[in-house]
Amino acid sequence: MRPTLIATIGPAGAGKTTWRHRHAPPEATVISLDERRAALSPCGCSADPAANAAAVADGTAETRAVLAAGGTVVWDVTNYLPRFRAHLLAVAAGYDAATVGLVVCPPLLTVLARNSRRDGRVCAVCGTARRVPDPVVWAMHTAITAALPSLHREGWHTLRFLSLPPYLHHRHHRRTT
Ligand SMILES: Nc1ncnc2c1ncn2[C@@H]1O[C@H](COP(=O)(O)OP(=O)(O)O)[C@@H](O)[C@H]1O
Ligand SMILES: [Mg+2]
Ligand SMILES: [Zn+2]
């Protein structure tokens, strides 16, 4: 079977993890940066910035191994920066993997409301909380919204859009290059 990389693209609180719990292919290896950071962080925090680089490196190494074996990887990650999406696409290209970008981007107010229900207590060690500061959610949402018109030029074989109004669905996206 052709190796496959599925990557979510969505701000914190959008519903990415909910989606992958419900819909990730059962045989897929899930790479969750939140879970990896929490496992690597001395204080156990999923947003600990000190654990980020190692979480990305470990997740990338595991991705390479799974793709090399012809498997499927699901990245549960915000992917709100173009360079992060480019990193995953470059890794996938090294194994001629099929790539699926899954945009999980409900309206900003929905995302802010979901984020506001998370625990806002700040860790004394790493300074983060499960609840992301509203301006950060807003900035992620803005960056992804701004990228929407050009996502089809980034190199994804398939793009899927969750939680968008029907008139914004790109039902027939196919990479042409
Ligand atoms: N489709 C949905 N409808 C209603 N609530 C949702 C939906 N998807 C996620 N949620 C809720 O939104 C919050 C954030 O979801 P989560 O999947 O953890 O987001 P993310 O992983 O993108 O940060 C959770 O409380 C979750 O229960
Ligand atoms: Mg999540
Ligand atoms: Zn912490």
Side-chain angles (χ1 to χ4, degrees), residues 8 11-18 20-21 32 34-35 76-78 118 130:
T8 55
K16 304 179 296 297
T17 301
T18 303
R20 67 92 164 156
H21 279 306
S32 158
D34 275 343
E35 287 164 21
D76 174 0
V77 60
T78 61
R118 286 178 164 165
R130 188 71 186 100

